[in-house]
Amino acid sequence: QQQQEEEFTEELLMKPLPDRKVLAHFHFQSEAPLAADESSFARHHHLFPKSISQLVQKYHIKAMELSFTQGRWNYERWGGFDSISSHNAKPPGVELWAVFDVPLHQVDASWKNLTHSLSGLFCASINFLESSTSYSDPEWAFQSALGSLRYGTLPREAVCTENLTPWLKLLPCRDKAGLSSLMDRPSIYKSFYHSQQLHLTMSTDPSDGSRSGIILEQTLTVVLQPNDQKAGMSHLSKTKIQPSWSLSSIFGRKISGRCVLAKLSNVYLHAERSLVNQLENLQKNTVKFAANDTGLEDFRRNAGFELSVTPERVHAELEKSSSILYEYPIKEYTDTEQFDLGLTWVHPIVWSSPHAPLYASRFLMGSGNERGAIAISLKSTEMTQGLVAAYNVEERCKLQVNVLQIVPWYVKVYYHTLQLLVDERPQALTDFVEIMRVSPSEDKVSPGVMELVLQFPCEMKSAVLSIEFDKGFLHIDEYPPDANQGFDIPSAIISFPDFHAGLQFSDKSQSKSPLLSKLQERSPVLSYTEVLLVPLTTPDFSMPYNVITITCTVFALYFGSLLNVLRRRVGEEERLLKNKDANKTVFFRRELAKLSAKLRGRPLELTLPCPSSSSSSSSFVSPKLILRVLLVAGIAVVWQYYSQ
Amino acid sequence: MAEISDSPSTSKSAEENTQTQTPESDLKTTRNTKPGVKRLIISVTVLFSFILGFPLLWKSIEIYRAPLPFDRIDAFSSQIESKPLSFPCHFQAIFIGFDFDFKVSHDDVGAAIARKMSDLSHGGGCGGCGGNYSVAVAVDRGDINAFDFGEKLRGSDEDADELVKSVVSEYGGGNAYSVVVVNEEGEVRSVVGKYRHAWIVGRVEEEEAVLHVAEVFVKVFVNGGDVEGSVRSEFMPVGADGRIVLSFSLLNADPRDWIYDWNFREIDETLLRPVIEALQPIANITVESQVLYHTPKSSFSYWDDKHGSHMFRTEDLPFFVNSNEWHLDTSVAAGGRSKVLQLVVYIPSAKECPLQLELPNGEISKTNGFISPMWGGVVVWNPQSCIKDFESMDPVRHTISPQDLLKLFEVLMGQLRQLLGLKSDNLYVGESGTSILLGSERGFTEWELDVLSRKHICFNLHSCATTLGSLSRLVQSLPRMIIMDEIGKQVKFSLEAAKFAQSNASIGIYNASAVSSRQSRSLAEDAFFHPSIMSISYYSFEHCFAIYSPFFLPVTMHVLLAALREWKRYKQENRKYLASKAKVKVS
């Protein structure tokens, strides 16, 4: 039989963004066929990374996605209705979901082992997702497979170069050759958004036409700010011109040679639909003045920008004035020639990226340390307005929205306080909620999960979901090291199942490119909201030790004093005092007798000892007591210091 | 008149002195009433309540400790250290073409061989057959002609091996190590077969035959052909859980020059499967392979016009392996304490092709590879043609041919044998001459497997004794550490497996003994590295002192001082009372 080969492809998509930034999307895909006999599966490899296939075999992974993200995807400016914003826009920190091919009672054990293995592979604290308080099993958000899905996030995980290096180790050429040699670490980690992702799929049914095997997609999505070198020319025109860029100016290096192990090695430049519209409008104006007919056929030059390299192929969508994709195969270049794609703007253009049907954002309400509320705000965009116009004649259109919100257990959410405001008016939940699944949180066991399927009318302007919560108390050893920073609530996921992001290229531009296949894939539009930061009440962490020490000291002093008081003999002390007084009286009398003997009897001297003896007896009592008390206190203090 | 005034004042002062002295002496020296005991009872009761409360406090901070058999562990450790493990080995010498009847008897020849073996073994070590040897001697019964038999033995070595095997079986060989000496005309030739026998053919004198037979017995069959007879315990590459992962890697130094691949599945099924099955008693071996790219070496090579190739020397070997670029250790399968042996085939880039290893004596290495004990081995494989194809944009993808793969795996198997402690070549050079060691298609001959089993049994039991001894000392030195029942079970089962391994070794069942010794070592390691050991310091003395001293130290001081004072005062007052009673009796 024909032995299937392992394949590797590398692709890079560059896309100018409306807010003067550039999106760079690296896409690497490795495929490994499943061997006929099961015994040698995941044991012999040629291109596919050995550790990944061993993970798949050991933990019976059916699908898995792991992302390391820093920064936040700007859905308003960078788009919310394309493949990249649905697949590669991820919440900050670490996000991991996995579907296992094991019986239901073994899914949790497989998840825990997987988190530990990934933690070692990627130099990250993914093992913290092992705890049952850190992951959940949503049912509808990812269209999961019958309860075998597990989902967890670590919003506070810092992402840095030590996460990129093991990710690069999985590539056959790593960062030695090919597109990955562009990954300049300072440029990548200075970016506004950085997300490296690992997506694993097992296709085990050959009946659907695709080959059975493991498909590993490694993507790195970066949003970079090119240097504004033409700031001096901005005063010439009304609007500021977009900054021009090239691969060398963005990444600091050029593509010198491709990865020779790659079956496909392409660079793409994507101009989205609104930009193409503006370019066409600009082209019409230019044609009126210059009457140049050959300008339309020149791919390098148009009315808006110039490309430094002529593209090999141009992919256009089926519809008119659709987005355009320029293709540059790196295979044509030898090792001595270096590929450096550059884009030079010649005219200021303003355009906008396509948006999801609704803007989704989330914020906290309320004040104080006891309770608050989480609000999810959905605002309509111009796309829904277009929907209203389209559907206005025929029938009343509905907009389905799926909401998944996972809240840690120490934020006690009261799901009965869920409220819905549509166009700023309170509404009954039953009018809009089709399906609701609520899994309340259990202290120290599981987080709270809420899944909603909502149906909104298309002409709706805004909707707000709000739910109240109490801020709980943690045990003292459950606080993180910087407890005063607050606690993170993971991003909520808003998905629109009726809308599918994806370009539709013409049939003639079909190719074997995995990136183009992914861009054309019809996938649900999906958005992540902000990560919320809830400040919980933090105790004084040194107070228990102070309380223990002070209480022990007070009890020790009290006990000692009480024992001493119980042992006192008041009568005996009084008798002792009287004896001393008598002795003093005798002494005084003897002296006086001698004096009277010498002076021959003066009766005035005999009366003086009486008041002096009484005053001396009163003075003898109080200093004794004071000295005794001070002595006991001093001894106790010395013992305290010694014991400390 | 003056005399009258003096006498009244003197009499007055005398009267006053008498009155005051009497109650003062009473208060100081005597006491009329019995002293009260209420305060003494209060103080002593408080003291006793503290003393009685101490066991309760001690009970509350007590921890659970499963009983461990410390005596058995100490006995096992001392037994392993004092008395070396002895394996019963049977030796048999068969003489063909000799005339012993008129000179010496069979027992004398056997005793001479045994004496020579004792001299050669240097006292023996662990993994050997002990110091006392007994050799059975047999002389042909006239049914074998020396000349005809010698002619057959000089033919094909494989056929001779089978022939000698049948002869040994006729003379009741069994599992004994046998040497057949054939005295006939011709050059002396010595061959060790792939079973448990060897043969010497040629013109052999009797004393020379005795020396030769003894040397084959000791140096080859007992020590495995290794010059150093002792077990190098630091070079036993089996993991603590009894597993070895053979990780094969094909490194393309620069895939822009050429890309080579290998069909490793066929090699795995045809060549490696018998090796894995042969080594099953020693270790549980799994095999995996990968191909890596952009993997240059760390050391440098120089061009040699004389040999027409790039050379790297033995002093460059420590820097050959590039740990930064050779991602060899990503193996999820080797979990826990398994041992990974890396077997690497390195294909140099165009600017270093061909690459040869220069030995210290200036010769070129035939294998073009080297091993690193406990890590693995590297073989440099040069392509047939070092000319890079500049015309094609894409480098040509080659697959290593089956013939080249076979040669490569011969070298790799030699490296594996060296890593396990055996010889990699097929010659043994001794005092009495050179012996040819026949190879086996399984990679290891029967007598080599015996040597490996003995060495691994010895190493496993020694490691088990060391680990259990360390665990025993650790547990006894930390009386506040929790010992779980699981650890106790593991220790008990480890000792039982070790005892079973020893009994099987003394009987001579090597396979079962090797498996049991592996289990005992694995269980000892599991017990020693149990997660609960040393996870936290359970209620250490410093912890107890820090927690309880702020309250109990001052309070105990108060209680003790109060009781002491009350007791002291009681004794003092009682003495006064007794003195008063004595005075009353006197008066």
Side-chain angles (χ1 to χ4, degrees):
Chain A
Q1 60 179 2
Q2 176 72 28
Q3 183 179 4
Q4 292 170 324
E5 292 290 333
E6 301 179 7
E7 291 182 355
F8 173 71
T9 57
E10 57 172 8
E11 287 163 306
L12 168 62
L13 178 84
M14 303 295 294
K15 176 181 167 184
L17 295 174
D19 64 341
R20 312 169 58 82
K21 296 184 175 64
V22 181
L23 171 79
H25 178 69
F26 295 86
H27 186 273
F28 307 95
Q29 178 159 312
S30 300
E31 292 185 36
L34 284 176
D37 52 341
E38 195 66 26
S39 66
S40 69
F41 173 60
R43 288 173 66 236
H44 305 301
H45 310 87
H46 305 269
L47 285 171
F48 201 84
K50 180 173 71 171
S51 49
I52 296 297
S53 54
Q54 284 173 344
L55 270 185
V56 169
Q57 190 215 17
K58 191 171 182 180
Y59 304 125
H60 304 282
I61 297 170
K62 194 183 291 184
M64 187 189 88
E65 190 177 81
L66 172 67
S67 67
F68 299 87
T69 304
Q70 82 178 8
R72 185 181 168 266
W73 183 264
N74 195 333
Y75 287 96
E76 298 180 31
R77 292 180 162 273
W78 303 345
F81 202 86
D82 52 322
S83 177
I84 291 178
S85 56
S86 292
H87 282 117
N88 302 111
K90 289 294 170 181
V94 171
E95 189 202 43
L96 171 67
W97 61 260
V99 182
F100 298 95
D101 192 9
V102 292
L104 283 184
H105 63 274
Q106 295 178 16
V107 173
D108 288 323
S110 296
W111 168 264
K112 295 178 182 190
N113 287 325
L114 176 68
T115 53
H116 276 264
S117 295
L118 291 174
S119 183
L121 264 179
F122 288 101
C123 297
S125 307
I126 306 172
N127 53 307
F128 288 174
L129 293 173
E130 173 199 20
S131 171
S132 60
T133 61
S134 303
Y135 68 93
S136 58
D137 49 346
E139 288 188 358
W140 306 322
F142 299 99
Q143 300 170 355
S144 66
L146 299 176
S148 298
L149 177 86
R150 293 293 181 268
Y151 174 85
T153 56
L154 296 171
R156 199 179 281 201
E157 179 76 16
V159 178
C160 204
T161 46
E162 70 258 12
N163 305 123
L164 186 64
T165 303
W167 185 87
L168 284 170
K169 273 172 59 178
L170 305 175
L171 303 173
C173 289
R174 296 186 302 282
D175 52 348
K176 304 301 171 190
L179 301 179
S180 50
S181 61
L182 282 177
M183 293 182 186
D184 181 52
R185 305 290 199 275
S187 303
I188 287 176
Y189 287 97
K190 279 191 305 184
S191 59
F192 288 81
Y193 177 83
H194 157 85
S195 178
Q196 68 188 59
Q197 199 172 324
L198 189 130
H199 187 88
L200 200 59
T201 309
M202 281 280 294
S203 60
T204 52
D205 44 351
S207 61
D208 61 1
S210 66
R211 299 185 293 112
S212 62
I214 315 173
I215 298 176
L216 172 68
E217 292 178 41
Q218 292 176 249
T219 57
L220 177 71
T221 308
V222 193
V223 174
L224 299 145
Q225 174 73 59
N227 295 322
D228 209 343
Q229 299 173 356
K230 298 185 176 181
M233 297 174 60
S234 63
H235 71 278
L236 297 178
S237 58
K238 294 181 180 179
T239 317
K240 198 173 184 182
I241 201 168
Q242 291 261 347
S244 303
W245 53 267
S246 63
L247 293 181
S248 56
S249 69
I250 285 178
F251 294 109
R253 56 187 80 163
K254 306 173 182 178
I255 301 177
S256 57
R258 66 185 187 99
C259 178
V260 291
L261 301 155
K263 188 179 135 188
L264 196 72
S265 187
N266 287 346
V267 175
Y268 300 94
L269 177 67
H270 186 206
E272 50 196 345
R273 180 175 302 174
S274 180
L275 174 58
V276 173
N277 267 329
Q278 299 289 332
L279 290 174
E280 288 181 351
N281 293 338
L282 201 56
Q283 192 75 18
K284 291 174 185 177
N285 297 333
T286 310
V287 167
K288 287 178 184 178
F289 295 111
N292 188 2
D293 294 334
T294 61
L296 289 173
E297 300 302 322
D298 192 358
F299 293 144
R300 291 186 55 169
R301 184 188 311 270
N302 53 53
F305 56 81
E306 295 179 4
L307 299 176
S308 65
V309 189
T310 305
E312 174 78 13
R313 203 184 312 176
V314 174
H315 303 269
E317 283 192 280
L318 292 172
E319 306 167 6
K320 189 184 178 184
S321 72
S322 62
S323 63
I324 290 177
L325 201 71
Y326 304 96
E327 180 178 316
Y328 300 89
I330 307 297
K331 189 176 290 189
E332 307 300 322
Y333 292 81
T334 57
D335 293 340
T336 54
E337 306 167 10
Q338 289 186 330
F339 178 81
D340 188 8
L341 172 64
L343 187 143
T344 305
W345 293 93
V346 297
H347 202 278
I349 296 179
V350 176
W351 78 96
S352 64
S353 297
H355 294 123
L358 296 171
Y359 280 140
S361 68
R362 194 174 64 161
F363 48 91
L364 288 173
M365 300 192 299
S367 63
N369 284 329
E370 187 179 358
R371 58 184 57 217
I374 299 172
I376 299 177
S377 169
L378 305 168
K379 295 187 194 306
S380 68
T381 58
E382 72 279 355
M383 188 188 183
T384 49
Q385 295 163 11
L387 284 177
V388 171
Y391 277 85
N392 199 15
V393 181
E394 301 166 3
E395 61 177 3
R396 187 176 185 84
C397 73
K398 288 282 186 175
L399 181 61
Q400 181 174 336
V401 179
N402 289 355
V403 177
L404 167 69
Q405 178 164 263
I406 301 171
V407 180
W409 64 268
Y410 38 81
V411 176
K412 302 180 187 307
V413 177
Y414 299 109
Y415 291 98
H416 70 278
T417 62
L418 182 63
Q419 294 181 16
L420 177 62
L421 282 76
V422 176
D423 290 334
E424 298 181 355
R425 287 189 298 269
Q427 305 286 337
L429 279 176
T430 52
D431 294 343
F432 294 91
V433 173
E434 276 201 352
I435 310 174
M436 174 190 271
R437 173 180 177 258
V438 168
S439 168
S441 65
E442 192 173 346
D443 277 4
K444 303 175 190 176
V445 172
S446 62
V449 182
M450 178 178 75
E451 291 185 89
L452 295 172
V453 177
L454 301 159
Q455 289 274 348
F456 289 120
C458 293
E459 61 269 15
M460 179 196 73
K461 291 294 188 294
S462 69
V464 176
L465 279 165
S466 72
I467 192 163
E468 296 179 13
F469 64 86
D470 272 356
K471 302 177 183 180
F473 286 99
L474 297 175
H475 199 262
I476 192 169
D477 51 14
E478 290 167 346
Y479 281 92
D482 52 345
N484 295 284
Q485 177 184 333
F487 292 78
D488 300 284
I489 296 181
S491 299
I493 301 173
I494 313 293
S495 60
F496 306 92
D498 295 336
F499 296 83
H500 298 285
L503 307 174
Q504 300 300 316
F505 293 121
S506 55
D507 293 332
K508 64 179 181 180
S509 64
Q510 287 294 328
S511 65
K512 299 180 179 178
S513 167
L515 181 61
L516 290 189
S517 304
K518 193 176 178 185
L519 291 178
Q520 297 180 73
E521 180 184 334
R522 290 173 56 84
S523 55
V525 176
L526 191 135
S527 304
Y528 287 87
T529 63
E530 295 90 344
V531 170
L532 295 178
L533 195 66
V534 179
L536 296 190
T537 302
T538 55
D540 184 0
F541 288 98
S542 64
M543 189 53 66
Y545 310 104
N546 299 341
V547 169
I548 289 171
T549 307
I550 293 173
T551 306
C552 288
T553 306
V554 168
F555 269 97
L557 288 175
Y558 169 74
F559 189 87
S561 303
L562 184 64
L563 195 60
N564 285 332
V565 167
L566 286 177
R567 293 193 308 103
R568 288 189 66 191
R569 291 174 165 85
V570 182
E572 190 167 312
E573 286 170 5
E574 287 175 355
R575 286 199 296 273
L576 284 177
L577 287 176
K578 284 179 180 177
N579 289 337
K580 289 177 182 178
D581 290 342
N583 289 336
K584 287 184 181 295
T585 307
V586 168
F587 177 75
F588 276 118
R589 284 179 183 178
R590 237 180 289 167
E591 291 296 325
L592 287 174
K594 291 178 182 177
L595 280 175
S596 65
K598 291 180 181 179
L599 297 175
R600 294 184 182 183
R602 289 188 179 182
L604 291 178
E605 294 295 331
L606 291 174
T607 58
L608 285 177
C610 296
S612 65
S613 66
S614 62
S615 66
S616 66
S617 67
S618 65
S619 66
F620 277 125
V621 169
S622 54
K624 282 284 184 177
L625 282 177
I626 293 171
L627 282 177
R628 188 179 291 262
V629 170
L630 286 179
L631 182 65
V632 170
I635 291 171
V637 167
V638 168
W639 272 111
Q640 288 303 309
Y641 276 113
Y642 172 74
S643 69
Q644 292 293 325
Chain B
M1 291 298 292
E3 290 178 357
I4 294 170
S5 64
D6 284 342
S7 61
S9 65
T10 304
S11 64
K12 286 181 181 180
S13 65
E15 288 178 359
E16 288 177 357
N17 286 336
T18 306
Q19 289 176 1
T20 55
Q21 280 176 0
T22 305
E24 184 172 355
S25 64
D26 287 343
L27 286 179
K28 287 184 178 179
T29 59
T30 59
R31 178 189 173 94
N32 295 325
T33 61
K34 197 173 183 180
V37 295
K38 184 171 67 175
R39 290 178 177 78
L40 179 64
I41 288 173
I42 288 174
S43 302
V44 172
T45 303
V46 171
L47 180 62
F48 279 169
S49 67
F50 268 75
I51 293 172
L52 291 178
F54 185 76
L56 294 178
L57 178 67
W58 191 258
K59 190 70 178 179
S60 69
I61 59 176
E62 194 184 35
I63 57 167
Y64 178 74
R65 285 169 71 92
L68 292 185
F70 297 118
D71 298 335
R72 291 175 59 192
I73 293 174
D74 292 338
F76 178 58
S77 297
S78 58
Q79 182 188 7
I80 288 292
E81 288 177 3
S82 63
K83 187 176 70 173
L85 195 64
S86 68
F87 299 86
C89 303
H90 305 292
F91 301 96
Q92 178 177 262
I94 300 172
F95 292 91
I96 298 173
F98 287 85
D99 193 5
F100 285 125
D101 287 334
F102 300 103
K103 298 178 183 179
V104 292
S105 65
H106 297 178
D107 293 341
D108 291 341
V109 175
I113 296 174
R115 226 175 8 255
K116 182 58 70 177
M117 288 170 70
S118 298
D119 294 342
L120 288 171
S121 64
H122 306 297
C126 195
C129 296
N132 296 320
Y133 300 106
S134 65
V135 182
V137 174
V139 182
D140 70 286
R141 295 180 285 263
D143 55 343
I144 302 176
N145 181 261
F147 185 77
D148 294 338
F149 196 61
E151 283 296 316
K152 292 177 183 176
L153 293 185
R154 289 188 185 275
S156 168
D157 279 337
E158 280 71 25
D159 298 337
D161 199 14
E162 301 299 326
L163 183 60
V164 173
K165 186 181 180 184
S166 62
V167 169
V168 167
S169 299
E170 284 181 21
Y171 283 83
N175 279 335
Y177 298 103
S178 307
V179 176
V180 176
V181 188
V182 182
N183 190 10
E184 53 98 36
E185 303 300 322
E187 189 182 357
V188 176
R189 189 164 181 269
S190 172
V191 179
V192 182
K194 62 188 180 186
Y195 302 101
R196 295 188 174 92
H197 54 256
W199 61 91
I200 304 170
V201 185
R203 179 187 296 276
V204 188
E205 298 296 328
E206 291 163 8
E207 292 178 1
E208 189 179 341
V210 163
L211 172 63
H212 208 148
V213 167
E215 197 170 35
V216 167
F217 278 151
V218 172
K219 296 298 185 182
V220 174
F221 287 142
V222 173
N223 291 342
D226 198 1
V227 178
E228 307 170 11
S230 63
V231 170
R232 299 167 296 174
S233 61
E234 66 272 15
F235 292 151
M236 285 295 164
V238 183
D241 56 351
R243 295 180 58 191
I244 296 178
V245 177
L246 297 182
S247 179
F248 290 86
S249 304
L250 180 65
L251 305 188
N252 288 276
D254 197 343
R256 286 174 287 220
D257 299 333
W258 38 65
I259 296 174
Y260 276 90
D261 204 350
W262 56 11
N263 195 347
F264 198 84
R265 277 188 55 191
E266 296 181 2
I267 295 293
D268 187 16
E269 289 167 3
T270 58
L271 292 183
L272 291 179
R273 195 181 297 267
V275 174
I276 293 168
E277 288 169 359
L279 293 171
Q280 191 67 43
I282 293 168
N284 191 2
I285 298 180
T286 56
V287 175
E288 54 190 44
S289 78
Q290 59 181 346
V291 183
L292 296 178
Y293 308 92
H294 290 286
T295 49
K297 58 178 171 52
S298 292
S299 62
F300 300 105
S301 60
Y302 68 99
W303 175 259
D304 194 338
D305 286 327
K306 175 185 172 184
H307 298 96
S309 65
H310 295 268
M311 313 294 290
F312 65 105
R313 284 177 285 225
T314 49
E315 54 258 32
D316 297 324
L317 295 188
F319 312 102
F320 196 94
V321 176
N322 193 341
S323 301
N324 286 329
E325 304 295 344
W326 295 17
H327 302 291
L328 305 172
D329 53 355
T330 57
S331 183
V332 180
R337 293 182 291 274
S338 297
K339 180 61 190 172
V340 183
L341 288 179
Q342 307 281 354
L343 295 162
V344 174
V345 177
Y346 179 80
I347 301 180
S349 58
K351 61 181 189 294
E352 270 185 338
C353 183
L355 185 63
Q356 300 278 344
L357 170 59
E358 187 183 34
L359 297 177
N361 56 10
E363 298 178 358
I364 300 298
S365 169
K366 293 193 183 70
T367 59
N368 212 16
F370 60 95
I371 65 162
S372 178
M374 292 299 284
W375 181 83
V378 178
V379 181
V380 177
W381 184 80
N382 294 302
Q384 297 293 327
S385 167
C386 290
I387 307 298
K388 182 183 175 183
D389 191 359
F390 288 99
E391 298 302 323
S392 170
M393 298 280 289
D394 291 341
V396 183
R397 292 172 177 260
H398 307 273
T399 302
I400 302 181
S401 63
Q403 295 82 26
D404 289 330
L405 267 181
L406 202 61
K407 293 174 189 173
L408 266 176
F409 271 83
E410 284 175 7
V411 178
L412 289 172
M413 283 301 106
Q415 289 185 344
L416 181 62
R417 289 164 55 90
Q418 277 184 306
L419 291 167
L420 289 172
L422 296 176
K423 283 173 68 66
S424 65
D425 52 3
N426 63 341
L427 289 181
Y428 170 74
V429 181
E431 299 177 20
S432 58
T434 301
S435 299
I436 298 168
L437 311 177
L438 288 193
S440 169
E441 62 271 6
R442 300 190 303 169
F444 298 89
T445 58
E446 292 281 338
W447 57 271
E448 283 174 336
L449 290 176
D450 289 347
V451 173
L452 284 180
S453 292
R454 289 199 298 265
K455 288 186 174 180
H456 279 80
I457 290 162
C458 206
F459 169 72
N460 285 336
L461 290 179
H462 197 273
S463 177
C464 175
T466 304
T467 305
L468 289 181
S470 300
L471 178 66
S472 174
R473 285 189 296 272
L474 178 73
V475 168
Q476 293 180 91
S477 70
L478 295 171
R480 305 291 305 167
M481 182 170 66
I482 289 179
I483 306 298
M484 303 177 72
D485 282 331
E486 192 178 2
I487 298 175
K489 287 180 187 175
Q490 285 169 346
V491 170
K492 189 177 72 170
F493 291 153
S494 177
L495 287 172
E496 288 177 3
K499 185 190 292 184
F500 198 60
Q502 283 173 315
S503 62
N504 278 329
S506 60
I507 293 171
I509 309 175
Y510 289 159
N511 288 357
S513 181
V515 173
S516 297
S517 67
R518 189 160 34 112
Q519 286 174 7
S520 69
R521 181 185 172 214
S522 180
L523 286 164
E525 296 276 338
D526 287 346
F528 190 83
F529 290 104
H530 198 271
S532 69
I533 289 193
M534 300 300 292
S535 58
I536 54 175
S537 184
Y538 292 90
Y539 270 143
S540 61
F541 175 73
E542 292 82 13
H543 183 83
C544 289
F545 190 81
I547 289 295
Y548 296 107
S549 60
F551 178 75
F552 281 101
L553 268 176
V555 167
T556 305
M557 184 265 297
H558 282 295
V559 168
L560 287 175
L561 287 181
L564 284 177
R565 283 172 183 167
E566 284 302 316
W567 177 250
K568 181 181 175 183
R569 184 192 173 280
Y570 178 79
K571 287 197 296 183
Q572 184 179 344
E573 296 297 319
N574 203 37
R575 201 180 306 118
K576 288 181 181 179
Y577 174 69
L578 293 178
S580 173
K581 287 178 70 175
K583 186 174 290 184
V584 168
K585 288 180 180 178
V586 168
S587 65

